Amino acid sequence: MIELRGKSVADAHKTALQNKIAAVGDAVITMAVLLVGNDHGAHMYATFMEKTAKNFGYGFVLRELPETASHDEVVTALRELNDDDTVHGILPLMPMPKHIDTEALIDALDPKKDIDGLTTYNIGLVTAGKGGFAPCTAKACMAILDHYDISVEGKHVVVVGRSQVIGKPVAFMTLAAHGTVTICHSRTPDLANYVKQGDIVIAAAGRPHMITADMIKPGAVVIDVGINELNGKTVGDVDYDAVKDIASAITPVPGGVGSVTTTIMLEAVYEAYHA
Ligand code: NAP
């Protein structure tokens, strides 16, 4: 069994990106985070992203609004970032306060600065296989497969989860890579029957240890996107300890997909700089 560790994938991508950035000269590639309200996780992620971006030599703008900000005030703040030529990529952090219409907000985001592939425009491009910014977590799954030379072509890919940020885009990306793709979700009856057919299983449901050893075909490749708390520990959607003896390759949690996603976002900011 090969453990598909994210660090070596992230390191390889970082090195390639640093080489590209060296060619940029004195220009400051800058990302912005739009943070609204008091969500603890969003604040933690904003701090983490600021440190990561600055350590990488990028500029960083934090546009923070209080919990009481109106929908229109948040849209205005986003439009200001759209119009700011010194800002190349924008990440609106979720969750936002309940009174914010996040769907409408996201469609006010300039698609050329949409580094996490949230806008309908970029979803359309990704779905059509015409490029565009894709969600970084979905790209991280593909980067892991690519780094470890795991071909998708002709394989049966079973994706568990159909969210706009992971399940759907990774399904379209594996389809574009010539996989035969099945998408499962919470209304799929007899999930095990589908997962068992997967040469590649991508678990993105957010349910701790829901993919058990008896659901995995011997030799399958397992990409675990889930990040969950179970008995005080961070675990994936896959019961790693049991599945590792059956799969030919598997990502750990933590240390798998999550450790690649941030580097993929830094790449997206660079792409936005060139857009
Ligand atoms: P989400 O929006 O809640 O979507 C979960 C999806 O899983 C939905 O499509 C849901 O089906 C499906 N699902 C839920 N329970 C299921 C079940 N019992 N059987 C089959 N399908 C089921 O979550 P998300 O944002 O996509 O995130 C998924 C996981 O990835 C979470 O654990 C999250 O923390 C993690 N994540 C990881 C990263 C990373 O970098 N590694 C980044 C973001 C998120 P319905 O559509 O029918 O409801």
Side-chain angles (χ1 to χ4, degrees):
M1 189 276 299
I2 303 167
E3 189 176 57
L4 305 171
R5 295 203 66 80
K7 187 177 181 310
S8 51
V9 185
D11 287 348
H13 278 251
K14 257 186 208 152
T15 304
L17 184 57
Q18 267 154 350
N19 290 337
K20 286 189 203 167
I21 288 167
V24 166
D26 291 338
V28 182
I29 299 173
T30 298
M31 75 173 286
V33 160
L34 179 65
L35 177 64
V36 186
N38 302 327
D39 182 77
H40 180 65
H43 276 258
M44 299 255 296
Y45 196 70
T47 305
F48 168 73
M49 216 51 239
E50 175 166 12
K51 199 171 143 204
T52 306
K54 285 182 174 170
N55 281 346
F56 203 70
Y58 281 0
F60 184 87
V61 173
L62 177 64
R63 186 76 175 85
E64 191 174 351
L65 286 96
E67 186 80 20
T68 51
S70 70
H71 176 79
D72 288 350
E73 284 169 333
V74 178
V75 170
T76 301
L78 180 61
R79 291 219 163 104
E80 283 168 6
L81 293 172
N82 282 344
D83 294 341
D84 185 340
D85 291 340
T86 67
V87 168
H88 305 104
I90 303 170
L91 181 66
L93 278 186
M94 303 299 159
M96 292 207 176
K98 289 205 170 20
H99 63 276
I100 306 295
D101 178 351
T102 47
E103 297 253 325
L105 176 74
I106 281 165
D107 280 324
L109 171 58
D110 181 348
K112 293 194 295 303
K113 297 189 178 187
D114 173 21
I115 49 177
D116 205 18
L118 301 169
T119 57
T120 304
Y121 181 83
N122 279 313
I123 291 168
L125 288 178
V126 171
T127 306
K130 291 184 175 175
F133 287 108
C136 294
T137 307
K139 275 163 101 177
C141 296
M142 300 306 290
I144 290 171
L145 292 169
D146 186 54
H147 181 85
Y148 288 98
D149 275 331
I150 298 167
S151 172
V152 173
E153 186 167 340
K155 305 275 176 59
H156 186 179
V157 182
V158 177
V159 180
V160 184
R162 57 173 166 177
S163 76
Q164 206 60 67
V165 286
I166 306 171
K168 276 187 207 166
V170 85
F172 279 106
M173 291 161 99
T174 49
L175 182 65
H178 309 298
T180 301
V181 183
T182 299
I183 308 176
C184 302
H185 47 78
S186 69
R187 314 284 175 92
T188 303
D190 196 6
L191 179 71
N193 174 44
Y194 291 94
V195 176
K196 188 100 193 172
Q197 294 175 40
D199 302 309
I200 299 174
V201 175
I202 302 179
R207 298 283 179 273
H209 288 180
M210 71 173 283
I211 307 291
T212 48
D214 56 311
M215 294 166 82
I216 295 294
K217 176 159 94 175
V221 171
V222 179
I223 307 289
D224 190 353
V225 185
I227 301 175
N228 315 287
E229 285 297 306
L230 186 67
N231 303 327
K233 279 176 66 183
T234 302
V235 301
D237 288 356
V238 178
D239 183 358
Y240 181 93
D241 287 337
V243 168
K244 72 177 175 13
D245 297 328
I246 293 160
S248 61
I250 181 169
T251 57
V253 178
V257 178
S259 39
V260 182
T261 305
T262 312
T263 304
I264 297 291
M265 183 157 292
L266 295 175
E267 282 180 347
V269 180
Y270 173 80
E271 284 163 28
Y273 167 80
H274 272 290

